[in-house]
Structures are given as structure tokens and as C-alpha cells.
Amino acid sequence: MGQFKANQLVDRLEAAAKARQATVARFRARPAADDPIVLARQSARRAIIQAREVREHEREMARQEAGAQREAEALAELERQEAERIRQAAEKAERQAALAAEQKAARDARFAARKARARR
């Protein structure tokens, strides 16, 4: 059995050496940095990155525009509520003034009736 295990170890070592050699071969087979294919790939990547940045910028501008729109709508709503509150306060003051005038007229009528009874 010792022989069998030794063969397995040798086989694993040989496989690892072949894998290392294949990796080195792939590394050496890579095109140089000034190769036209590499340069074309880099320019394509740059174009993709620039397009992505433009889209991100457009989304940010749209977000800011939407935020400004929401802010303007909220401000308009607050102004409308304030105008409604002022209108209601004016109506309430008007009703209170009318009620006070009505109560004064009733009080004056009672006073006049009492004076008229006292004169008889």
C-alpha cells in the first residue's frame, strides 16, 4: 500500500507542475500593452465608463429636479393652508362681530323695554 500512496503523491505533484506551466504559458501568451486589440478593449471600457457617468449624472439631475418640484409643491400646499387658515379666522371674527352686535341689540331692546315699563 505504501507504493500506491507514493504514486498518488507523484501524480498530484505532476498535475500541479503541469497546471503551473499552463498558467505561465497563458501569461506569456497575453498580448502586449500596446497591442491594438488591448488598446481597442481599453478604449471600449473608457467609453462604457463615460456613458455610465453620464447616466449617473442625468439620474442625479433628475433626482434633484424631482426634489425641487416636491419642495415647490410642499411650499404651495403650505401657502394654501395658511391662506385657508387666514380665511377661516376672518370668517370666525366676522361671525363673532355679528353675534356681538346681535347680543348688543337684544340687550338694548331689553333695556329699552325695561325703561318703557318703568315710565308707565
Side-chain angles (χ1 to χ4, degrees):
M1 280 248 197
Q3 184 74 12
F4 181 72
K5 286 189 179 191
N7 285 342
Q8 276 188 335
L9 177 63
V10 171
D11 291 340
R12 284 197 313 261
L13 290 175
E14 286 176 3
K18 286 180 184 176
R20 275 194 300 277
Q21 287 175 353
T23 303
V24 168
R26 271 197 319 262
F27 180 76
R28 287 188 180 149
R30 273 188 347 180
D34 60 348
D35 191 293
I37 295 173
V38 173
L39 295 176
R41 195 176 303 144
Q42 287 175 347
S43 66
R45 283 185 188 138
R46 272 191 237 109
I48 291 170
I49 290 170
Q50 287 174 350
R52 184 179 304 136
E53 289 173 354
V54 167
R55 287 191 310 269
E56 287 175 1
H57 179 70
E58 288 172 352
R59 279 194 299 269
E60 181 62 30
M61 294 301 291
R63 254 185 256 134
Q64 288 177 357
E65 191 174 303
Q69 179 68 25
R70 282 192 303 271
E71 198 172 295
E73 289 172 358
L75 184 59
E77 178 65 21
L78 286 174
E79 288 175 355
R80 187 195 63 74
Q81 288 175 354
E82 181 66 17
E84 179 67 19
R85 189 187 60 75
I86 290 171
R87 185 189 63 77
Q88 288 176 350
E91 285 179 359
K92 183 178 179 182
E94 194 176 300
R95 282 193 309 269
Q96 287 177 342
L99 180 64
E102 189 179 307
Q103 288 173 343
K104 184 177 184 321
R107 188 172 55 245
D108 289 348
R110 284 193 310 269
F111 181 73
R114 191 169 49 238
K115 284 287 189 174
R117 277 190 307 239
R119 283 189 196 151
R120 284 194 246 158

